[in-house]
């Protein structure tokens, strides 16, 4: 057998530990059971590690590993052929270690979505200059091979849209809210208790994690520079069990989606709660599972579904990236030369076109619905569905204990229109005093 | 830009024509719109073609193509760098042309599942000897990148099972039978009218197409020699609308699946109508769409869904394979060295373990059910569900016009047992004369 690929690994958290064990297990196998070596044509050997404390390395129980205190020193260590960065964080030490490796021509594998989203263009430029690989399959969708699929699987195709469920925490919360009719706050607490949500959940539930991931996929699919600031972002905290129930009744389910789509005004990148049709593949994806749908120009969509997180699943993607390096694969980090990547700019959401779900609390008095209907018509908004239910007892609204009628919810689903038109109509409707509170607005994504 | 990859293409049917147009379109684009060239780092250029008649080449309307009458001559043409075989058929001229290309060290792309299933080991041996690539993404699942995913995406993983819906015709027929409550024969005629089924549909509906495809996936996933004769095969012609309705009622849907699974007695490969749980990703796949689920050892499954056929979808896979060649990717045809592939042998189905759906027509007389129950118990078969409905009027069965009672259908769902036990019990039950006709037996696949 030819010379092994000697690997240096920085970061021994859940994923790093899983990668170390997976590589060790393969190397400890009898040659005929070393599937990784057989698939690469050479052994892939972990030789040196770096972590916060040397005790983390000892805890692995893997003999013969060399300790290197500084990740940056490990990245340029002459004994290693490839550098794996699993420390996380968009700044140093991850960034400077990867820069050092790429500058010295060493191939890099990372699961660091924040770093790739924020500094992907600069890092890809370094990689291109030295000819080193920069692989980040594990940065998006865990074990789902979506980076490879977009980078290599459709080399001759253009895409109309790439969109998906990219954050397991949010999908878990929305799934539980729907099945148990719980509030967002209750579900979040439950998710935290079970370890599906961080103590500080903002990054996940406000959509920023999804934004970093869709920015990476947008770059791969559409040849734009990766830039999370070009992504419009809305989180899921405003979603109520009533929205989820109304969605189901109308044949939809609410998911937090990352969407990158080709429009007349450029590539629109956005993250927001979205109504997807119940019969779409994404609507079926419940719990912490991730999924991505790719709409190629010219034929029907491809959907990839799988575990988006977890040590073993993420380690699987990291090791597949190492295998590509071991085999000498030469694919550019974002598929095309960096010089070919177009600038990313934030799409003006007021020009977004699509259908909308709108939930209003209508004040119970004559002419309310006529006022609402008139302002929608003024903006050329046509309605696909209108749902208004009588509430406990009253023909239009329920009686409050003090005898007055409480506002009645009205659900509207529009045909395709513009965000601008919807916002204007709702502003007018609110100004007329015929609704209580703020309307809930959720965009509909066609499948 | 570096030298183009010069391609010779044999076969100008639907897929061949789409490949030719896709390559031509890319090359006609301005350099900045040639995504294929940008993704490969070099142009991919169609230079010569072979087909049944030269008029097929002229009909493409692509200028500058060279006509080569013999596919075999094209395969070794000194002017081409890669040979694309889209003639089909497991014998010559496809086989000898591919052999000629590989022997002379020219990389080959083919969509020919029959050829790869039947002669994959021999062809991979030739490819290994000369170092030429042999890529066949389009042979399984059309545009779904399942070959790449199994060959490269999980390099460090072992698999427990790979299974999927691999034949669009069968899935279309089963979907229509369920939604329209039509018989198999009526649906098949409809599918033929719409062009979803061949005039001679045997190859599809009897499961042989699926068998070739699962044999290929089994080889990639489990490192066994590809061999369609190692696959147990049953088609869908025995399925009735009653089975589909009963399945739905029990929380299942019936799909024709190809399944390759690691068992104690080796890799079991089989194709048969299968009950899958309604909440599984495969159950959601309707119409001509294909889907594959990969169960890796150690984490949750990955499912890939997409168009399994059609000119543009299949051409997309062929061109992605060419792109890998243009970039110089070096992956073995079946991921591992041919010498490492284990022999495939047909699994003894009598030892198959799993749950079973059984539909019987019970003769209406006292003790019938007791007899059935006793023979199942004798074989240690436990029942998860029993469904027996009164028919029009009678408590046990409907009255025929002549006054006798017609047999009543009984649906049984067993817990995991062995095929042997089920067959024995049903033989005994039939010998007792308590059922009419032959029992319907459908295996259940867990998700």
């Amino acid at each position: 057998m030819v010379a092994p690929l000697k690997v240096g690994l920085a970061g021994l958290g859940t994923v790093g530990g899983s990668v170390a064990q997976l590589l060790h297990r393969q190397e400890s196998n009898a040659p005929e059971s070393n599937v990784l070596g057989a698939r690469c044509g050479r052994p892939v050997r972990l030789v040196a590690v770096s972590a916060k404390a040397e005790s983390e390395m000892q805890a692995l129980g893997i003999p013969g590993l060399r300790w290197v205190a500084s990740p940056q020193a490990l990245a340029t260590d002459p004994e290693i052929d490839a550098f794996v960065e699993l420390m996380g964080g968009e700044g140093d030490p991850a960034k400077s270690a990867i820069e050092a490796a790429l500058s010295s021509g060493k191939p890099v594998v990372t699961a660091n979505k924040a770093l790739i989203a924020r500094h992907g263009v600069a890092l890809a430029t370094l990689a291109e200059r030295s000819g080193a690989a920069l692989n980040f399959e594990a940065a998006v969708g865990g074990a789902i091979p979506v980076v490879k699929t977009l980078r290599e699987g459709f080399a001759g195709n253009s895409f109309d849209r790439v969109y998906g469920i990219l954050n397991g925490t949010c999908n878990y919360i929305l799934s539980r809210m729907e099945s148990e009719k719980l509030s967002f706050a209750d579900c979040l607490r439950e998710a935290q208790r079970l370890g599906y949500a961080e103590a500080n959940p903002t990054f996940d539930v406000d959509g920023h994690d999804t934004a970093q991931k869709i920015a990476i996929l947008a770059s791969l699919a559409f040849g734009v520079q990766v830039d999370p600031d070009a992504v419009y972002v809305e989180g899921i905290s405003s979603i109520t069990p009533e929205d989820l129930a109304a969605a189901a009744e109308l044949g939809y389910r609410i998911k937090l989606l990352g969407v990158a789509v080709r429009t007349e005004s450029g590539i629109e990148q956005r993250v927001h709660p979205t109504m997807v049709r119940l019969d779409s593949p994404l609507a079926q994806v419940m719990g912490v599972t991730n999924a991505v749908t790719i709409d190629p120009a010219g034929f029907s969509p491809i959907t990839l579904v799988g575990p988006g997180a977890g040590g073993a699943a993420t380690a699987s993607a990291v090791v597949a990236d190492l295998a590509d390096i071991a085999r000498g694969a030469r694919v550019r980090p974002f598929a095309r030369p960096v010089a070919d990547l177009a600038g990313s700019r934030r799409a003006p959401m007021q020009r977004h076109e699509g259908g909308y779900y709108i939930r209003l609390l209508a004040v119970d008095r004559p002419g309310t619905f006529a006022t609402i209907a008139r302002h929608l018509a003024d903006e050329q908004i046509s309605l696909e569905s209108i749902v208004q239910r009588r509430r406990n007892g009253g023909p239009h609204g329920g009686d409050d204990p003090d005898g007055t009628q409480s506002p009645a919810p009205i659900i509207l689903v529009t045909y395709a229109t513009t965000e601008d038109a919807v916002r204007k109509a709702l502003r007018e409707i609110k100004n007329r005093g015929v609704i209580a509170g703020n309307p809930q607005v959720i965009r509909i994504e066609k499948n």
Side-chain angles (χ1 to χ4, degrees), chain A:
Chain A
M1 235 185 197
V2 294
L5 181 83
K6 286 176 283 178
V7 175
L9 164 61
L12 288 175
T14 313
V15 179
S18 294
V19 169
Q21 297 297 357
L22 205 162
L23 293 179
H24 175 59
R25 218 161 41 233
Q26 291 289 339
E27 278 273 278
S28 318
N29 283 341
E32 66 276 17
S33 310
N34 181 343
V35 291
L36 178 60
R39 287 177 184 142
C40 297
R42 60 196 284 206
V44 178
R45 186 167 299 158
L46 181 62
V47 297
V49 298
S50 183
K52 280 184 191 138
E54 197 171 344
S55 58
E56 294 180 56
M57 178 180 86
Q58 282 141 5
L60 290 174
I62 298 175
L65 294 182
R66 185 158 57 86
W67 172 254
V68 180
S70 144
Q72 195 158 348
L74 177 61
T76 55
D77 190 292
E79 201 212 343
I80 71 162
D81 303 314
F83 177 62
V84 179
E85 184 281 304
L86 297 172
M87 298 177 284
E90 65 182 69
D92 292 335
K95 180 161 172 278
S96 54
I98 290 180
E99 286 168 349
L102 293 175
S103 301
S104 74
K106 283 218 206 296
V108 169
V109 175
T110 178
N112 192 330
K113 59 182 175 283
L115 182 63
I116 293 296
R118 195 59 71 185
H119 304 290
V121 177
L123 296 175
T125 306
L126 285 180
E128 221 170 86
R129 210 170 284 158
S130 71
L134 171 58
N135 290 348
F136 44 84
E137 182 65 73
V140 185
I144 306 173
V146 61
V147 171
K148 181 176 270 286
T149 293
L150 284 173
R151 202 147 83 159
E152 304 170 25
F154 294 94
N157 293 100
S158 300
F159 302 100
D160 292 333
R161 184 173 52 166
V162 174
Y163 63 123
I165 296 166
L166 300 170
N167 182 278
T169 304
C170 289
N171 206 52
Y172 173 82
I173 291 174
L174 291 172
S175 300
R176 289 275 299 183
M177 283 177 69
E178 184 182 339
S179 65
E180 319 269 314
K181 301 187 182 13
L182 291 174
S183 72
F184 169 76
D186 287 346
C187 269
L188 175 56
R189 263 193 301 275
E190 169 90 353
Q192 285 171 319
R193 200 177 56 77
L194 292 168
Y196 291 155
E198 305 281 336
N200 178 354
T202 320
F203 184 68
D204 287 317
V205 301
D206 286 359
H208 301 298
D209 174 79
T210 303
Q212 292 180 344
K213 291 168 176 169
I214 196 67
I216 294 172
L217 298 187
S219 179
L220 291 163
F222 297 107
V224 294
Q225 293 172 0
V226 57
D227 180 5
D229 293 335
V231 185
Y232 168 85
V233 187
E234 246 176 66
I236 61 168
S237 59
S238 75
I239 302 298
T240 67
E242 292 74 36
D243 293 322
L244 293 161
E249 196 182 337
L250 294 160
Y252 292 92
R253 186 164 271 152
I254 300 173
K255 296 293 185 187
L256 183 75
L257 294 192
V259 182
V261 57
R262 189 188 295 283
T263 70
E264 280 176 19
S265 49
I267 305 303
E268 185 179 282
Q269 300 178 54
R270 48 193 164 81
V271 173
H272 50 73
T274 312
M275 309 271 280
V276 292
R277 282 175 50 105
L278 273 176
D279 63 0
S280 68
L282 293 183
Q284 317 299 332
V285 176
M286 305 303 275
V288 295
T289 304
N290 281 202
V292 180
T293 296
I294 300 166
D295 278 354
F299 55 92
S300 339
I302 315 284
T303 298
L304 316 178
V305 185
T314 311
S316 154
V318 169
V319 171
D321 274 352
L322 276 172
D324 280 343
I325 291 169
R327 279 189 299 247
R330 289 168 308 173
V331 187
R332 292 198 175 79
F334 294 99
R336 297 169 228 226
V338 174
D340 286 7
L341 298 175
S344 261
R345 62 188 186 82
R346 188 157 169 151
M349 279 305 283
Q350 69 272 21
R351 279 204 251 148
H352 171 72
E353 289 183 30
Y356 285 81
Y357 158 101
I358 301 166
R359 181 168 52 81
L360 305 164
L361 280 178
V363 171
D364 189 41
R365 63 170 185 242
T368 287
F369 197 80
T371 305
I372 293 170
R374 179 162 48 80
H375 287 292
L376 292 170
D378 283 353
E379 297 297 333
Q380 320 291 333
I381 297 169
S382 307
L383 295 176
E384 183 187 296
S385 313
I386 303 167
V387 180
Q388 181 179 11
R389 287 269 153 59
R390 63 155 65 188
R391 295 175 64 189
N392 349 322
H396 302 298
D399 287 321
D400 273 352
D402 63 359
T404 63
Q405 302 245 299
S406 64
I410 298 182
I411 312 284
L412 306 171
V413 174
T414 78
Y415 283 110
T417 175
T418 68
E419 180 113 358
D420 202 31
V422 169
R423 297 291 173 194
K424 252 194 225 164
L426 292 177
R427 204 156 49 231
E428 288 300 319
I429 289 166
K430 195 167 157 71
N431 287 344
R432 292 296 162 279
V434 296
I435 59 170
N438 284 318
Q440 170 72 293
V441 177
I442 303 176
R443 297 171 194 89
I444 297 172
E445 195 72 28
K446 279 199 291 193
N447 63 321

